[in-house]
Amino acid sequence: MNGTPVRLTPLTARLLVRLIAADGEAVTARQLYRDVWQQTVELPHQELRNRNEVQKRILELRRAFDLAGPGHGARIIRTGQLPSGRGIQSTYQLDLAEEELDSTEFTCLVGDALRAAPASAVRLLAEALRLWRGRPLTEVHDEEFASAPVRRLARLRQTALRELVDGHIALGRHDLALPVAEQTVRERPDDVEAAAVLTRLNARLRERHGGELLRHTLRGLRVDVVVVRGDLFDQEDANLVVGFSDTFDTFPDDVVISRESVQGQLVDRLFGGRHKLLDVHLRRGLGRFTPLGTESVRTKRRGRRVRYPVGTVVAVPAGRRRVFALAYSRLGNDLRARSGPADLRLSLERLWPSVALHGLFKPVAIPLIGTGLSRIVELDRTQLVLLIVETFTQSLRQDPAVSPELRVVIRADDLERTDLSAVEAFLRGVDERGPAAPPATVP
């Protein structure tokens, strides 16, 4: 009572459930005795004794309700009289407000949801289903007097589950609709309509996720970390991160820049093969940085000669999104790019503030940088992913609005050498420790 459990004797508890099953209707003392005490034979002169037994249990119930306040018992359990061929019979009726009885509140919430718009309906249905704690009227579930209300409540629950699925779908939350649809099919394996809804939901989610391999929402931040299999340039809804050397070369001549590299594909796929157009944007962005120096023609015969610090980031506009050109390697005069874990960490730590400033709060997609011609051999694929994810989550401590989603794009041939379970374990640890704790496996 008032949140405190009240112990009732078994017969009294059964009597209360019988009154609940009456769904607000008055029940005679005679009928109560037959149903609760399961009387099968009525002996002569037994009626008065039976009525007294019922009255004793009613008194016990009223005293229990009075624990919530004086007079509650008499208000909740009302006594009436019913004329009959055998004289006036005493009746008892449970009179509870909507919020005082779970089954009544459940019914009202579902009814309100059926008349509400999807967002309100989802809230009301979720609230209603939280009231469901196993089979209704468990103590008398198989009794004849309970069969009608039990069937009604069970049907209403199926309606609530179905409507909840429809509500989530209407709101575009197929991920929330899926577990409800799965629960419905488990409970009703012969329901053809429910099975069809589940099939459509699974197909929709597969289509939506595409090559998605891992998704983790960082607790309390509304930021998703996602790993997908595929092509960086297919991430059309996201800003892109593309690795460069410290000279920011762009011409894919297969000597300084390979046409198959991410830089080479950037020129071809986003700038129509016009590397000079990309140069214009890079020069404009690099004007804010002080070069480290300039190589001579004698020492560096091919490519650009002006060098910028490792960790330099230029936000290049590309339609309605940005390409973040990130210098994380040094291009030697022998035209070999070299980088290491410390260079990559520094570059990533400088990348995320630039994404926060220039990224228009869009998702940001980044390839597995360090696996190509920069040859960061000290780190395996898993450690590279962890370093990207770790520096991103650390950046959220300074600015939780860096990006709504970090998307690490892994090529199919790198996937078999990447342990995504370690990445998922790290992200779970981030939720527990906070976004600043580094993984032990990354130098």
Side-chain angles (χ1 to χ4, degrees):
M1 198 63 59
N2 283 342
T4 303
V6 176
R7 296 184 65 85
L8 299 173
T9 59
L11 275 175
T12 304
R14 185 176 167 83
L15 178 65
L16 174 60
V17 176
R18 175 62 183 91
L19 290 172
I20 292 172
D23 203 16
E25 297 294 327
V27 186
T28 65
R30 177 183 296 168
Q31 190 64 50
L32 286 172
Y33 190 86
R34 287 177 179 172
D35 292 340
V36 174
W37 278 261
Q38 297 183 314
Q39 181 188 28
T40 56
V41 178
E42 189 170 334
L43 300 175
H45 314 297
Q46 187 73 21
E47 185 171 351
L48 178 60
R49 184 180 300 173
N50 295 349
R51 188 167 64 246
N52 289 339
E53 284 292 325
V54 172
Q55 289 172 344
K56 284 166 54 179
R57 306 299 173 180
I58 292 292
L59 180 60
E60 183 183 345
L61 275 179
R62 283 176 172 158
R63 286 173 176 165
F65 285 123
D66 279 341
L67 294 175
H72 276 59
R75 175 187 66 81
I76 292 173
I77 302 180
R78 298 188 178 277
T79 302
Q81 291 184 327
L82 179 68
S84 71
R86 302 177 64 172
I88 301 297
Q89 294 191 55
S90 297
T91 62
Y92 299 98
Q93 178 184 5
L94 203 60
D95 185 11
L96 286 168
E98 172 188 320
E99 67 277 4
E100 291 179 315
L101 185 61
D102 283 355
S103 58
T104 304
E105 185 178 3
F106 174 79
T107 300
C108 292
L109 285 169
V110 175
D112 291 344
L114 294 177
R115 297 184 291 272
S120 298
V122 164
R123 175 182 59 80
L124 292 166
L125 291 166
E127 188 176 343
L129 289 166
R130 279 194 293 270
L131 296 172
W132 196 272
R133 302 180 182 90
R135 299 170 70 185
L137 306 178
T138 303
E139 298 87 343
V140 294
H141 191 275
D142 297 323
E143 300 285 355
E144 181 180 352
F145 64 80
S147 59
V150 166
R151 284 196 304 271
R152 178 182 64 80
L153 288 169
R155 285 196 299 268
L156 194 58
R157 179 171 177 272
Q158 291 304 315
T159 298
L161 290 169
R162 185 175 62 250
E163 291 294 323
L164 185 56
V165 170
D166 291 345
H168 283 314
I169 291 174
L171 296 172
R173 295 306 306 270
H174 298 79
D175 53 333
L176 297 181
L178 181 63
V180 184
E182 290 173 335
Q183 180 181 357
T184 302
V185 169
R186 282 196 304 270
E187 294 178 2
R188 301 175 65 86
D190 297 329
D191 189 328
V192 176
E193 182 181 351
V197 169
L198 179 58
T199 299
R200 289 196 298 271
L201 266 175
N202 279 317
R204 176 67 180 81
L205 285 169
R206 282 195 297 270
E207 176 186 339
R208 188 191 77 173
H209 291 308
E212 188 173 301
L213 303 169
L214 183 152
R215 176 176 290 271
H216 182 95
T217 301
L218 294 171
R219 187 179 302 163
L221 293 177
R222 299 192 185 94
V223 175
D224 288 342
V225 176
V226 186
V227 178
V228 300
R229 175 183 52 237
D231 186 329
L232 177 71
F233 296 99
D234 286 341
Q235 315 305 312
E236 297 180 353
D237 63 327
N239 296 320
L240 306 181
V241 177
V242 175
F244 279 76
S245 69
D246 59 342
T247 54
F248 284 93
D249 287 276
T250 60
F251 181 45
D253 57 358
D254 282 333
V255 177
V256 179
I257 302 248
S258 167
R259 296 179 189 275
E260 295 181 358
S261 68
V262 177
Q263 290 165 270
Q265 292 181 63
L266 170 65
V267 172
D268 184 48
R269 296 177 66 173
L270 292 192
F271 292 90
R274 297 175 294 171
H275 74 278
K276 291 184 177 180
L277 177 59
L278 175 57
D279 286 341
V280 169
H281 293 298
L282 285 172
R283 279 197 298 269
R284 187 176 297 133
L286 288 170
R288 299 184 296 106
F289 298 92
T290 302
L292 289 177
T294 303
E295 300 285 351
S296 67
V297 176
R298 183 175 60 82
T299 57
K300 190 172 186 291
R301 296 182 179 275
R302 302 289 294 267
R304 300 258 171 84
R305 297 180 177 89
V306 179
R307 295 190 180 279
Y308 291 88
V310 166
T312 299
V313 186
V314 179
V316 176
R320 296 184 178 180
R321 56 182 176 161
R322 300 287 183 269
V323 174
F324 290 90
L326 174 65
Y328 75 98
S329 66
R330 297 175 180 84
L331 185 65
N333 293 344
D334 60 357
L335 304 184
R336 282 187 57 186
R338 295 172 174 84
S339 187
D343 292 327
L344 181 55
R345 177 181 288 277
L346 172 66
S347 301
L348 290 168
E349 288 173 345
R350 293 184 178 176
L351 167 67
W352 306 124
S354 181
V355 171
L357 183 62
H358 302 291
L360 309 174
F361 202 59
K362 290 178 178 289
V364 57
I366 182 170
L368 204 55
I369 55 177
T371 60
L373 296 178
S374 59
R375 300 177 178 89
I376 302 181
V377 296
E378 297 93 336
L379 301 179
D380 62 26
R381 267 60 172 175
T382 303
Q383 290 172 313
L384 289 171
V385 177
L386 285 170
L387 185 54
I388 292 169
V389 172
E390 180 220 330
T391 55
F392 176 76
T393 57
Q394 283 182 327
S395 73
L396 298 176
R397 173 159 289 188
Q398 282 71 44
D399 187 351
V402 173
S403 170
E405 179 181 306
L406 168 65
R407 191 179 304 165
V408 183
V409 183
I410 300 181
R411 298 178 306 175
D413 54 354
D414 282 324
L415 185 58
E416 65 182 57
R417 290 177 284 178
T418 308
D419 181 5
L420 294 186
S421 64
V423 179
E424 186 177 29
F426 171 69
L427 288 167
R428 289 198 304 269
V430 169
D431 282 334
E432 296 170 2
R433 300 187 301 266
T441 56
V442 178

mmCIF file of all heavy atoms in Angstrom, residues 305-332:
data_model
loop_
_atom_site.group_PDB
_atom_site.id
_atom_site.type_symbol
_atom_site.label_atom_id
_atom_site.label_comp_id
_atom_site.label_asym_id
_atom_site.label_seq_id
_atom_site.Cartn_x
_atom_site.Cartn_y
_atom_site.Cartn_z
ATOM 1 N N ARG A 305 57.072 21.149 -53.173
ATOM 2 C CA ARG A 305 58.308 21.280 -52.397
ATOM 3 C C ARG A 305 58.100 22.012 -51.071
ATOM 4 O O ARG A 305 58.992 22.003 -50.230
ATOM 5 C CB ARG A 305 59.367 21.985 -53.249
ATOM 6 C CG ARG A 305 59.736 21.172 -54.489
ATOM 7 C CD ARG A 305 60.790 21.848 -55.344
ATOM 8 N NE ARG A 305 61.129 20.978 -56.463
ATOM 9 C CZ ARG A 305 60.497 20.981 -57.635
ATOM 10 N NH1 ARG A 305 59.513 21.848 -57.853
ATOM 11 N NH2 ARG A 305 60.855 20.134 -58.584
ATOM 12 N N VAL A 306 56.938 22.659 -50.910
ATOM 13 C CA VAL A 306 56.658 23.363 -49.651
ATOM 14 C C VAL A 306 56.125 22.349 -48.640
ATOM 15 O O VAL A 306 55.178 21.615 -48.926
ATOM 16 C CB VAL A 306 55.637 24.501 -49.864
ATOM 17 C CG1 VAL A 306 55.336 25.208 -48.538
ATOM 18 C CG2 VAL A 306 56.149 25.492 -50.897
ATOM 19 N N ARG A 307 56.744 22.324 -47.470
ATOM 20 C CA ARG A 307 56.352 21.353 -46.444
ATOM 21 C C ARG A 307 55.584 22.052 -45.316
ATOM 22 O O ARG A 307 55.956 23.160 -44.894
ATOM 23 C CB ARG A 307 57.582 20.653 -45.866
ATOM 24 C CG ARG A 307 58.327 19.794 -46.877
ATOM 25 C CD ARG A 307 59.383 18.946 -46.194
ATOM 26 N NE ARG A 307 60.107 18.121 -47.146
ATOM 27 C CZ ARG A 307 59.665 16.966 -47.635
ATOM 28 N NH1 ARG A 307 58.481 16.515 -47.242
ATOM 29 N NH2 ARG A 307 60.390 16.268 -48.485
ATOM 30 N N TYR A 308 54.545 21.340 -44.818
ATOM 31 C CA TYR A 308 53.747 21.841 -43.698
ATOM 32 C C TYR A 308 53.868 20.854 -42.527
ATOM 33 O O TYR A 308 54.215 19.678 -42.728
ATOM 34 C CB TYR A 308 52.280 21.993 -44.111
ATOM 35 C CG TYR A 308 52.094 23.122 -45.104
ATOM 36 C CD1 TYR A 308 52.234 22.892 -46.476
ATOM 37 C CD2 TYR A 308 51.809 24.409 -44.660
ATOM 38 C CE1 TYR A 308 52.073 23.931 -47.388
ATOM 39 C CE2 TYR A 308 51.653 25.455 -45.566
ATOM 40 C CZ TYR A 308 51.788 25.209 -46.920
ATOM 41 O OH TYR A 308 51.646 26.244 -47.809
ATOM 42 N N PRO A 309 53.581 21.316 -41.318
ATOM 43 C CA PRO A 309 53.717 20.418 -40.164
ATOM 44 C C PRO A 309 52.784 19.219 -40.261
ATOM 45 O O PRO A 309 51.639 19.330 -40.745
ATOM 46 C CB PRO A 309 53.335 21.309 -38.973
ATOM 47 C CG PRO A 309 53.488 22.705 -39.465
ATOM 48 C CD PRO A 309 53.188 22.675 -40.930
ATOM 49 N N VAL A 310 53.276 18.066 -39.836
ATOM 50 C CA VAL A 310 52.393 16.908 -39.690
ATOM 51 C C VAL A 310 51.286 17.287 -38.693
ATOM 52 O O VAL A 310 51.552 17.878 -37.650
ATOM 53 C CB VAL A 310 53.177 15.681 -39.189
ATOM 54 C CG1 VAL A 310 52.230 14.588 -38.720
ATOM 55 C CG2 VAL A 310 54.076 15.151 -40.294
ATOM 56 N N GLY A 311 50.049 16.952 -39.037
ATOM 57 C CA GLY A 311 48.910 17.360 -38.214
ATOM 58 C C GLY A 311 48.157 18.539 -38.791
ATOM 59 O O GLY A 311 47.121 18.945 -38.256
ATOM 60 N N THR A 312 48.657 19.105 -39.914
ATOM 61 C CA THR A 312 47.941 20.196 -40.585
ATOM 62 C C THR A 312 46.653 19.648 -41.190
ATOM 63 O O THR A 312 46.655 18.599 -41.844
ATOM 64 C CB THR A 312 48.822 20.819 -41.686
ATOM 65 O OG1 THR A 312 50.009 21.343 -41.088
ATOM 66 C CG2 THR A 312 48.080 21.919 -42.417
ATOM 67 N N VAL A 313 45.560 20.376 -40.982
ATOM 68 C CA VAL A 313 44.247 19.951 -41.489
ATOM 69 C C VAL A 313 43.647 21.090 -42.293
ATOM 70 O O VAL A 313 43.585 22.235 -41.825
ATOM 71 C CB VAL A 313 43.279 19.595 -40.342
ATOM 72 C CG1 VAL A 313 41.986 19.017 -40.912
ATOM 73 C CG2 VAL A 313 43.917 18.641 -39.361
ATOM 74 N N VAL A 314 43.184 20.775 -43.492
ATOM 75 C CA VAL A 314 42.508 21.761 -44.338
ATOM 76 C C VAL A 314 41.117 21.241 -44.652
ATOM 77 O O VAL A 314 40.962 20.110 -45.146
ATOM 78 C CB VAL A 314 43.290 22.008 -45.648
ATOM 79 C CG1 VAL A 314 42.539 23.013 -46.520
ATOM 80 C CG2 VAL A 314 44.689 22.495 -45.345
ATOM 81 N N ALA A 315 40.116 22.063 -44.364
ATOM 82 C CA ALA A 315 38.733 21.702 -44.676
ATOM 83 C C ALA A 315 38.424 22.175 -46.090
ATOM 84 O O ALA A 315 38.348 23.381 -46.358
ATOM 85 C CB ALA A 315 37.780 22.332 -43.671
ATOM 86 N N VAL A 316 38.247 21.249 -47.008
ATOM 87 C CA VAL A 316 38.007 21.557 -48.419
ATOM 88 C C VAL A 316 36.517 21.406 -48.708
ATOM 89 O O VAL A 316 35.948 20.330 -48.484
ATOM 90 C CB VAL A 316 38.813 20.606 -49.322
ATOM 91 C CG1 VAL A 316 38.483 20.856 -50.793
ATOM 92 C CG2 VAL A 316 40.303 20.766 -49.065
ATOM 93 N N PRO A 317 35.842 22.452 -49.215
ATOM 94 C CA PRO A 317 34.421 22.310 -49.539
ATOM 95 C C PRO A 317 34.222 21.399 -50.742
ATOM 96 O O PRO A 317 34.962 21.467 -51.727
ATOM 97 C CB PRO A 317 33.978 23.747 -49.846
ATOM 98 C CG PRO A 317 35.230 24.463 -50.229
ATOM 99 C CD PRO A 317 36.336 23.815 -49.457
ATOM 100 N N ALA A 318 33.212 20.540 -50.618
ATOM 101 C CA ALA A 318 32.862 19.635 -51.720
ATOM 102 C C ALA A 318 31.343 19.536 -51.755
ATOM 103 O O ALA A 318 30.751 18.657 -51.144
ATOM 104 C CB ALA A 318 33.493 18.263 -51.525
ATOM 105 N N GLY A 319 30.711 20.472 -52.439
ATOM 106 C CA GLY A 319 29.251 20.531 -52.427
ATOM 107 C C GLY A 319 28.764 20.972 -51.057
ATOM 108 O O GLY A 319 29.222 21.985 -50.517
ATOM 109 N N ARG A 320 27.873 20.203 -50.486
ATOM 110 C CA ARG A 320 27.298 20.541 -49.173
ATOM 111 C C ARG A 320 28.037 19.880 -48.022
ATOM 112 O O ARG A 320 27.538 19.849 -46.899
ATOM 113 C CB ARG A 320 25.822 20.131 -49.139
ATOM 114 C CG ARG A 320 24.964 20.894 -50.131
ATOM 115 C CD ARG A 320 23.508 20.527 -49.982
ATOM 116 N NE ARG A 320 22.665 21.294 -50.914
ATOM 117 C CZ ARG A 320 21.349 21.172 -51.000
ATOM 118 N NH1 ARG A 320 20.719 20.301 -50.207
ATOM 119 N NH2 ARG A 320 20.668 21.895 -51.863
ATOM 120 N N ARG A 321 29.194 19.337 -48.295
ATOM 121 C CA ARG A 321 29.973 18.703 -47.226
ATOM 122 C C ARG A 321 31.422 19.144 -47.322
ATOM 123 O O ARG A 321 31.768 20.019 -48.120
ATOM 124 C CB ARG A 321 29.830 17.188 -47.301
ATOM 125 C CG ARG A 321 30.221 16.585 -48.639
ATOM 126 C CD ARG A 321 30.011 15.104 -48.659
ATOM 127 N NE ARG A 321 30.277 14.516 -49.955
ATOM 128 C CZ ARG A 321 30.518 13.234 -50.144
ATOM 129 N NH1 ARG A 321 30.533 12.407 -49.110
ATOM 130 N NH2 ARG A 321 30.727 12.758 -51.352
ATOM 131 N N ARG A 322 32.258 18.564 -46.493
ATOM 132 C CA ARG A 322 33.655 18.941 -46.434
ATOM 133 C C ARG A 322 34.530 17.696 -46.572
ATOM 134 O O ARG A 322 34.173 16.613 -46.107
ATOM 135 C CB ARG A 322 33.984 19.630 -45.102
ATOM 136 C CG ARG A 322 33.192 20.901 -44.847
ATOM 137 C CD ARG A 322 33.666 22.041 -45.736
ATOM 138 N NE ARG A 322 32.949 23.283 -45.453
ATOM 139 C CZ ARG A 322 31.843 23.667 -46.069
ATOM 140 N NH1 ARG A 322 31.294 22.884 -46.992
ATOM 141 N NH2 ARG A 322 31.270 24.820 -45.775
ATOM 142 N N VAL A 323 35.690 17.906 -47.202
ATOM 143 C CA VAL A 323 36.742 16.903 -47.206
ATOM 144 C C VAL A 323 37.861 17.453 -46.335
ATOM 145 O O VAL A 323 38.376 18.549 -46.594
ATOM 146 C CB VAL A 323 37.266 16.620 -48.624
ATOM 147 C CG1 VAL A 323 38.458 15.675 -48.565
ATOM 148 C CG2 VAL A 323 36.167 16.033 -49.496
ATOM 149 N N PHE A 324 38.213 16.710 -45.291
ATOM 150 C CA PHE A 324 39.277 17.147 -44.388
ATOM 151 C C PHE A 324 40.581 16.516 -44.852
ATOM 152 O O PHE A 324 40.802 15.309 -44.694
ATOM 153 C CB PHE A 324 38.942 16.773 -42.948
ATOM 154 C CG PHE A 324 37.804 17.578 -42.396
ATOM 155 C CD1 PHE A 324 36.494 17.138 -42.524
ATOM 156 C CD2 PHE A 324 38.045 18.802 -41.788
ATOM 157 C CE1 PHE A 324 35.435 17.896 -42.039
ATOM 158 C CE2 PHE A 324 36.998 19.565 -41.299
ATOM 159 C CZ PHE A 324 35.683 19.116 -41.425
ATOM 160 N N ALA A 325 41.427 17.358 -45.476
ATOM 161 C CA ALA A 325 42.736 16.911 -45.954
ATOM 162 C C ALA A 325 43.694 16.928 -44.764
ATOM 163 O O ALA A 325 43.992 17.994 -44.215
ATOM 164 C CB ALA A 325 43.226 17.823 -47.066
ATOM 165 N N LEU A 326 44.159 15.750 -44.358
ATOM 166 C CA LEU A 326 44.932 15.593 -43.128
ATOM 167 C C LEU A 326 46.358 15.145 -43.457
ATOM 168 O O LEU A 326 46.566 14.053 -43.998
ATOM 169 C CB LEU A 326 44.254 14.548 -42.224
ATOM 170 C CG LEU A 326 44.998 14.137 -40.954
ATOM 171 C CD1 LEU A 326 45.122 15.321 -39.997
ATOM 172 C CD2 LEU A 326 44.291 12.962 -40.282
ATOM 173 N N ALA A 327 47.340 15.975 -43.136
ATOM 174 C CA ALA A 327 48.744 15.612 -43.343
ATOM 175 C C ALA A 327 49.226 14.783 -42.160
ATOM 176 O O ALA A 327 49.424 15.306 -41.071
ATOM 177 C CB ALA A 327 49.590 16.868 -43.483
ATOM 178 N N TYR A 328 49.368 13.470 -42.383
ATOM 179 C CA TYR A 328 49.814 12.603 -41.285
ATOM 180 C C TYR A 328 51.114 11.868 -41.628
ATOM 181 O O TYR A 328 51.594 11.049 -40.844
ATOM 182 C CB TYR A 328 48.723 11.606 -40.907
ATOM 183 C CG TYR A 328 48.532 10.475 -41.879
ATOM 184 C CD1 TYR A 328 49.113 9.229 -41.645
ATOM 185 C CD2 TYR A 328 47.771 10.647 -43.032
ATOM 186 C CE1 TYR A 328 48.942 8.190 -42.541
ATOM 187 C CE2 TYR A 328 47.582 9.614 -43.919
ATOM 188 C CZ TYR A 328 48.171 8.394 -43.675
ATOM 189 O OH TYR A 328 47.999 7.369 -44.561
ATOM 190 N N SER A 329 51.716 12.163 -42.803
ATOM 191 C CA SER A 329 52.973 11.511 -43.190
ATOM 192 C C SER A 329 53.906 12.549 -43.812
ATOM 193 O O SER A 329 53.483 13.643 -44.205
ATOM 194 C CB SER A 329 52.713 10.375 -44.186
ATOM 195 O OG SER A 329 52.222 10.903 -45.409
ATOM 196 N N ARG A 330 55.173 12.193 -43.899
ATOM 197 C CA ARG A 330 56.187 13.043 -44.547
ATOM 198 C C ARG A 330 56.617 12.373 -45.851
ATOM 199 O O ARG A 330 56.946 11.181 -45.853
ATOM 200 C CB ARG A 330 57.395 13.226 -43.638
ATOM 201 C CG ARG A 330 57.092 13.951 -42.341
ATOM 202 C CD ARG A 330 58.319 13.992 -41.432
ATOM 203 N NE ARG A 330 58.041 14.690 -40.174
ATOM 204 C CZ ARG A 330 57.484 14.118 -39.105
ATOM 205 N NH1 ARG A 330 57.134 12.825 -39.167
ATOM 206 N NH2 ARG A 330 57.269 14.817 -38.013
ATOM 207 N N LEU A 331 56.564 13.154 -46.912
ATOM 208 C CA LEU A 331 56.984 12.617 -48.211
ATOM 209 C C LEU A 331 58.464 12.903 -48.396
ATOM 210 O O LEU A 331 58.883 14.060 -48.541
ATOM 211 C CB LEU A 331 56.179 13.252 -49.346
ATOM 212 C CG LEU A 331 56.454 12.679 -50.732
ATOM 213 C CD1 LEU A 331 56.002 11.220 -50.814
ATOM 214 C CD2 LEU A 331 55.765 13.504 -51.807
ATOM 215 N N GLY A 332 59.272 11.844 -48.349
ATOM 216 C CA GLY A 332 60.719 12.013 -48.491
ATOM 217 C C GLY A 332 61.093 12.460 -49.884
ATOM 218 O O GLY A 332 60.315 12.341 -50.840
#
